């Protein structure tokens, strides 16, 4: 069963993106291919 992309996941993703030094629109809490590449 797939889990919906909720506020808790978006917050975690935003914090990860900010930790990577991303700012502005790049740190929006929604994963892009670049986000997934950094995670894995």
């Amino acid at each position: 069963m797939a889990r919906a992309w909720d506020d808790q996941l978006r917050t975690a993703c935003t914090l990860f993106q900010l930790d990577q030094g991303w700012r502005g629109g790049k740190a929006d809490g929604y994963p892009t291919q670049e986000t997934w590449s950094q995670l894995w």
Side-chain angles (χ1 to χ4, degrees), residues 3-38:
R3 183 174 168 181
W5 196 256
D6 60 15
D7 286 339
Q8 191 174 20
L9 287 171
R10 191 174 72 75
T11 298
C13 187
T14 299
L15 293 173
F16 173 79
Q17 291 168 334
L18 290 170
D19 191 50
Q20 299 306 303
W22 303 349
R23 297 293 181 262
K26 287 191 80 169
D28 62 3
Y30 294 99
T32 63
Q33 187 61 42
E34 186 178 3
T35 305
W36 290 119
S37 293
Q38 292 293 325

